[in-house]
């Protein structure tokens, strides 16, 4: 059984929901990302999403765009991110999921990406601009080696299409909470909870919800209906606020993550 | 040469190029658009409406002008100019925006968004929005806002909101990222008017179809005037819509050579150019798989061209397919050669071309070294130069 599946099985037995933080690898630099990732794992993250930066992140809002630019300002590449994961694997068992755009994988070589990602100890990948129809090649390589390709579903996805997406997805289904790009929001769509409840009837796979979630209160609310909650921009804002003091940065990220993790894990 | 395969296929592929690489949120929208376009292309009332506005509003058919001055200067071929620059708003872009806005109306979408580089597509979108009473917003890189300020003023006067984009290279690529982000956010009521044969399927096919009026008219007129088909078709290639519109109707006329002129910027070996087909690699940008300018790590490189409309690191997937199959030949022209092209056409014909168009003109001296006196060359005069007078006069 894959590590992500095991994680959800364990959570289910404990009647808990998953906390999935997201950071951009190399923001503000690889060394600090390593510390942040360990702090996130320490604070109760069940799975960690690592962004591999791409110059044209068209599904991302301003916060993640800036994080990506910070990472790219010192040329963070797939290779460097893989090296980082290899090092992190010595200290933590938390499942790692990459999030990136297809051009990065295509340029690296689809089969090579899957093989090397797997060998450094990563567990899956989410590709923001790769809809179901275009995943054939990636899935062919990934399914063979037990590497999870996690598919996205959106509020605009019709129910029949959602069923196909969830069939095709491995690990969990990433449900995009709103029609829009990533970025912390004050409030989330009113219909969100009902949407998730409805979708839960059509899949056995865990549904994790991301985009826009910025507070412990929101996270807790979503955790009541979803299997996991993904928080990205709100964490990156803590990184951005402390660019001049990296010790404080790691500390603030950890304490914020701890509050979110606590809120999510308090939901039974 | 065998007959070209009918492209794209149902999934939007031209050989290995094209497809749909967009966030899931947009997939239902591009599928809806594909279905709506299929319906529209069979609807006589849609075709009638587009034809009406192209004729009565935009000024089609455009002239196929025999360029006596140019012809006499080189004496190496008969040169014709397809005068898209004479269209309302001053470029071929209006062919596409009239059709896309009609489609938006048919689909009940009330808001148009667009990206623009030189501002010609932005102006063409703002124009049809005013004409049809639709709301419109145009994304434009801050660098382009500055170098194409006249077009910014035009868009504003037409009632369009111009949104400056200050990320990345602050040019067309970033304007397109931002337009896609807007589309993801407002997908339910917004129609994204893409200005070139780029983006996810069905755009490359749809924009091509809307621009083929250029090539169809050339074919008809030239047969009337010369009783034969052209030997060479020459057009500039940024995203590639005016060139594809010119080439496509001739795709199975094997004796007609296609020449696409890319922007070589400061020079092909300087790394500061916009020649995606000649120097790029296969990648995915803005929803489509095609040639892109990227570095070793797969990060998109900044393009450079004196012409804002060609300053783009990608190119339409059908051009990639034409390159791969050898159907078209792609060449390049530098910034300074393009300026010479402006001068050449202004002095010999009394026509001031846009900087984009000047790339096609500037290739003529090279092309004409290998032509016969009886050959016929048609150049797509995609846009007029008024918008570039600031840049041209400062050089």
């Amino acid at each position: 059984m894959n590590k992500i599946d095991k994680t959800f099985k364990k959570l289910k037995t404990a009647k808990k929901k998953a906390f999935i933080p997201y950071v951009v690898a190399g923001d503000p630099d690889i060394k600090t990302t390593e510390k942040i990732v360990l702090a996130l794992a320490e604070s109760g993250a069940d799975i960690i999403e690592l962004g591999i930066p791409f110059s044209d992140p068209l599904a991302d809002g301003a916060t993640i765009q800036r994080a990506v630019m910070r990472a790219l300002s010192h040329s963070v590449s797939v290779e460097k991110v893989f090296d980082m994961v290899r090092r992190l694997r010595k200290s933590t068992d938390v499942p790692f999921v990459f999030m990136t755009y297809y051009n990065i994988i295509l340029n690296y070589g689809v089969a090579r990406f899957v093989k090397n990602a797997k060998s450094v100890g990563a567990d899956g990948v989410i590709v923001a601009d790769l809809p179901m129809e275009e995943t054939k090649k990636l899935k062919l390589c990934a399914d063979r080696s037990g590497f999870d390709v996690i598919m996205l579903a959106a509020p605009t996805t019709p129910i029949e299409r959602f069923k196909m997406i969830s069939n095709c997805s491995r690990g969990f289904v990433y449900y995009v909470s709103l029609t829009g790009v990533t970025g912390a929001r004050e409030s989330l769509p009113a219909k969100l909870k009902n949407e998730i409840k409805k979708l839960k009837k059509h899949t056995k796979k865990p549904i994790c919800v991301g985009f826009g979630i910025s507070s412990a209160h929101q996270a807790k609310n979503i955790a009541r209906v979803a299997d996991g909650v993904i928080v990205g921009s709100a964490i990156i804002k803590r990184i951005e606020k402390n660019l001049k003091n990296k010790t404080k940065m790691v500390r603030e990220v950890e304490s914020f993550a701890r509050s979110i993790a606590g809120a999510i894990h308090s939901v039974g | 040469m065998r007959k070209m395969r009918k492209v794209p296929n149902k999934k939007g592929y031209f050989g290995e190029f094209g497809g749909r690489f967009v966030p899931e949120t947009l997939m239902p929208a591009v599928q809806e658009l594909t279905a709506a376009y299929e319906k529209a292309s069979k609807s006589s009332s849609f075709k009638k409406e587009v034809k009406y506005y192209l004729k009565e509003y935009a000024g089609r058919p455009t002239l196929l002008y025999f360029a006596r001055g140019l012809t006499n200067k080189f004496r190496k071929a008969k040169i014709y100019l397809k005068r898209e620059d004479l269209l309302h708003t001053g470029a071929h872009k209006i062919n596409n925006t009239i059709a896309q806005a009609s489609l938006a109306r048919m689909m009940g979408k009330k808001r148009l968004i667009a990206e623009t580089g030189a501002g010609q597509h932005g102006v063409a979108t703002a124009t049809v929005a005013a004409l049809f009473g639709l709301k419109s917003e145009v994304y434009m890189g801050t660098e382009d806002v500055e170098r194409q300020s006249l077009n910014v003023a035009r868009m504003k006067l037409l009632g369009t909101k111009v949104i400056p984009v200050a990320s990345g290279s602050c040019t067309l690529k970033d304007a397109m990222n931002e337009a896609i982000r807007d589309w993801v956010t407002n997908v339910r009521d917004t129609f994204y008017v893409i200005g070139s044969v780029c983006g996810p399927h069905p755009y490359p096919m749809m924009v091509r179809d809307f621009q083929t009026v250029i090539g169809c008219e050339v074919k008809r007129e030239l047969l009337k005037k010369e009783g034969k088909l052209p030997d060479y078709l020459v057009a500039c290639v940024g995203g590639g819509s005016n060139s594809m519109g010119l080439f496509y109707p001739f795709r199975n006329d094997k004796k007609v050579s296609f020449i696409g002129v890319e922007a070589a910027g400061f020079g092909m070996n300087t790394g500061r150019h916009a020649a995606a087909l000649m120097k790029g690699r296969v990648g995915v940008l803005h929803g489509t798989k095609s040639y892109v300018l990227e570095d070793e790590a797969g990060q998109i490189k900044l393009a450079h061209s004196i012409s804002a409309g060609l300053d783009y690191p990608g190119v339409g997937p059908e051009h990639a397919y034409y390159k791969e199959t050898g159907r078209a030949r792609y060449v390049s022209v530098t910034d300074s050669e393009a300026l010479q092209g402006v001068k050449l056409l202004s002095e010999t014909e009394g026509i001031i071309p846009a900087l984009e168009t000047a790339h096609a003109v500037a290739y003529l001296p090279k092309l004409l070294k290998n032509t016969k006196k009886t050959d016929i060359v048609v150049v797509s005069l995609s846009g007029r130069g008024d918008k570039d007078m600031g840049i041209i006069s400062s050089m």
Side-chain angles (χ1 to χ4, degrees):
Chain A
M1 195 188 248
N2 289 352
K3 216 189 298 178
I4 297 174
D5 294 338
K6 271 186 207 154
T7 301
F8 279 106
K9 206 179 158 198
K10 221 160 60 189
L11 285 163
K12 202 174 176 184
T13 318
K15 291 203 163 114
K16 276 189 174 177
K17 304 302 175 72
F19 166 44
I20 309 175
Y22 164 92
V23 287
V24 175
D27 170 33
D29 54 66
I30 287 280
K31 227 173 104 188
T32 312
T33 301
E34 278 187 63
K35 287 183 191 152
I36 290 172
V37 168
L38 291 175
L40 289 170
E42 196 62 33
S43 69
D46 298 290
I47 295 169
I48 294 175
E49 242 186 70
L50 290 168
I52 303 178
F54 174 52
S55 55
D56 294 78
L58 49 77
D60 285 303
T63 307
I64 293 180
Q65 285 177 50
R66 285 195 299 271
V68 164
M69 290 309 145
R70 282 195 293 274
L72 287 180
S73 70
H74 37 88
S75 308
V76 169
S77 61
V78 173
E79 216 57 71
K80 286 182 188 169
V81 179
F82 282 180
D83 287 344
M84 180 186 81
V85 169
R86 189 185 287 120
R87 287 193 297 274
L88 281 165
R89 265 292 162 256
K90 291 175 189 153
S91 326
T92 176
D93 262 342
V94 67
F96 287 130
V97 171
F98 292 128
M99 174 137 187
T100 191
Y101 289 81
Y102 195 52
N103 196 53
I104 293 295
I105 297 175
L106 195 65
N107 176 75
Y108 191 84
V110 177
R112 183 171 165 240
F113 182 92
V114 170
K115 184 170 161 270
N116 292 356
K118 179 92 186 159
S119 83
V120 297
D123 301 283
V125 66
I126 304 164
V127 191
D129 59 349
L130 201 67
M132 188 172 60
E133 287 77 358
E134 303 286 355
T135 48
K136 206 174 152 191
K137 195 171 171 192
L138 177 62
K139 269 192 71 68
L140 209 69
C141 301
D143 286 352
R144 223 184 285 147
S145 50
F147 187 68
D148 290 340
V149 178
I150 294 146
M151 305 291 298
L152 296 124
T156 50
T157 307
I159 200 75
E160 285 309 312
R161 186 175 167 84
F162 175 81
K163 287 186 205 166
M164 289 191 277
I165 289 172
S166 68
N167 265 335
C168 177
S169 193
R170 295 285 173 268
F172 61 91
V173 180
Y174 188 136
Y175 185 72
V176 176
S177 71
L178 44 83
T179 53
V181 293
T182 59
R185 310 286 205 283
E186 292 281 319
S187 64
L188 293 168
K191 285 188 293 190
L192 178 59
K193 278 171 81 174
N194 280 335
E195 278 298 307
I196 302 164
K197 274 189 209 158
K198 199 175 86 191
L199 295 177
K200 286 291 292 172
K201 291 183 194 143
H202 296 283
T203 183
K204 288 198 170 97
K205 293 195 175 121
I207 297 179
C208 299
V209 179
F211 281 42
I213 300 153
S214 62
S215 68
H217 176 72
Q218 283 173 336
K220 189 171 177 175
N221 216 352
I222 293 165
R224 290 185 213 278
V225 287
D227 302 288
V229 179
I230 301 154
V231 181
S233 297
I235 292 174
I236 290 168
K237 278 188 169 174
R238 270 76 187 175
I239 293 175
E240 193 161 45
K241 218 179 84 195
N242 295 295
L243 287 171
K244 283 185 183 139
N245 185 342
K246 286 174 189 157
T247 317
K248 195 168 161 233
M249 176 191 289
V250 178
R251 204 167 58 225
E252 274 199 23
V253 167
E254 182 166 359
S255 85
F256 178 66
R258 209 174 279 281
S259 74
I260 302 277
I264 293 169
H265 292 153
S266 73
V267 176
Chain B
M1 196 178 75
R2 63 200 162 85
K3 207 172 158 191
M4 300 278 296
R5 204 163 15 132
K6 196 169 176 280
V7 284
N9 67 12
K10 276 225 168 326
K11 286 178 162 181
Y13 275 89
F14 305 83
E16 67 160 308
F17 306 104
R20 285 170 171 152
F21 296 86
V22 292
E24 170 61 22
T25 311
L26 291 179
M27 277 306 283
V30 294
Q31 287 172 336
E32 179 197 5
L33 178 62
T34 308
Y37 175 58
E38 199 178 304
K39 200 175 142 202
S41 58
K42 287 178 195 144
S43 145
S44 55
S45 66
F46 174 78
K47 283 190 274 191
K48 217 170 119 189
E49 178 174 293
V50 172
K51 207 172 162 183
Y52 171 83
Y53 285 105
L54 286 179
K55 177 168 180 274
E56 302 291 332
Y57 184 72
R60 299 213 76 92
T62 58
L63 299 171
L64 182 68
Y65 166 69
F66 172 58
R68 193 176 303 279
L70 268 182
T71 301
N72 286 342
K73 184 178 168 72
F74 292 99
R75 298 188 178 280
K76 284 287 286 178
K78 283 181 95 168
I79 302 166
Y80 280 88
L81 305 175
K82 180 58 173 167
R83 298 292 309 275
E84 296 298 294
D85 61 319
L86 293 177
L87 284 171
H88 178 44
T89 70
H92 70 289
K93 295 290 187 188
I94 191 104
N95 300 329
N96 173 44
T97 59
I98 284 177
Q100 284 201 41
S102 298
L103 188 56
R105 287 213 295 176
M106 206 181 92
M107 293 171 74
K109 307 274 180 184
K110 301 262 186 279
R111 176 176 177 262
L112 306 181
I113 55 166
E115 81 295 332
T116 198
Q120 290 302 112
H121 174 58
V123 168
T125 303
T127 299
V128 296
L131 174 69
F132 292 140
L134 300 167
K135 201 176 162 223
S136 84
E137 289 177 34
V138 172
Y139 290 89
M140 190 170 187
T142 48
E143 183 175 329
D144 294 337
V145 167
E146 195 169 314
R147 60 179 163 172
Q148 303 287 345
S149 58
L150 187 63
N151 275 343
V152 175
R154 291 166 83 191
M155 285 185 268
K156 284 182 180 162
L157 192 59
L158 290 161
T160 281
K161 190 173 163 198
V162 178
I163 305 168
V165 178
S167 58
S169 58
C170 306
T171 62
L172 182 54
K173 164 183 92 93
D174 311 283
M176 197 151 175
N177 284 337
E178 214 48 43
I180 293 173
R181 289 181 187 121
D182 180 315
W183 195 26
V184 171
T185 307
N186 302 296
V187 57
R188 290 189 174 98
D189 68 347
T190 294
F191 188 103
Y192 181 16
V193 185
I194 294 185
S196 196
V197 285
C198 296
H201 179 63
Y203 284 99
M205 166 182 82
M206 187 171 78
V207 177
R208 171 197 77 195
D209 292 351
F210 293 156
Q211 292 292 2
T212 51
V213 65
I214 303 172
C216 291
E217 285 179 9
V218 167
K219 204 170 196 175
R220 206 167 49 227
E221 263 312 291
L222 205 63
L223 283 173
K224 239 191 266 170
K225 285 187 159 120
E226 296 282 347
K228 62 176 216 172
L229 295 177
D231 298 283
Y232 297 93
L233 298 175
V234 185
C236 65
V237 180
S241 70
N242 92 86
S243 48
M244 194 48 72
L246 176 64
F247 295 167
Y248 187 75
F250 294 92
R251 68 196 178 284
N252 290 318
D253 300 313
K254 57 184 176 182
K255 286 191 177 149
V256 183
S257 302
F258 299 169
I259 295 163
V261 187
E262 294 193 286
F266 290 139
M268 292 296 271
N269 297 320
T270 61
R272 307 251 2 238
H273 56 74
L277 286 162
M278 294 180 74
K279 289 277 189 175
R281 302 198 295 191
V282 177
V284 167
L285 177 66
H286 296 147
T288 193
K289 190 175 178 189
S290 184
Y291 282 91
V292 295
L293 297 175
E294 62 178 12
D295 67 12
E296 294 295 308
Q299 308 300 346
I300 305 303
K301 279 207 248 182
L302 303 188
H304 165 78
S305 170
I306 189 172
S307 123
L310 304 183
D311 200 345
Y312 181 65
V315 65
E318 196 162 8
H319 281 291
Y321 178 64
Y322 277 14
K323 176 192 153 99
E324 211 67 4
T325 56
R327 183 60 190 93
R329 188 154 69 86
Y330 295 93
V331 298
S332 71
V333 151
T334 64
D335 287 353
S336 60
E337 287 170 329
L339 285 166
Q340 289 303 311
V342 173
K343 208 162 166 253
L344 173 66
L345 197 67
S346 303
E347 288 173 0
T348 53
E349 294 294 346
I351 299 169
I352 302 173
L355 281 169
E356 292 76 19
T357 312
H359 284 71
V361 175
Y363 189 68
L364 284 176
K366 284 183 199 164
L367 174 71
L368 294 171
K369 280 182 190 152
N370 302 309
T371 53
K372 294 194 302 283
K373 216 169 169 180
T374 50
D375 283 346
I376 295 175
V377 176
V378 177
V379 182
S380 171
L381 227 62
S382 54
R384 68 177 188 226
D386 309 40
K387 70 181 176 63
D388 296 316
M389 284 318 295
I391 300 169
I392 294 166
S393 57
S394 72
M395 290 291 166

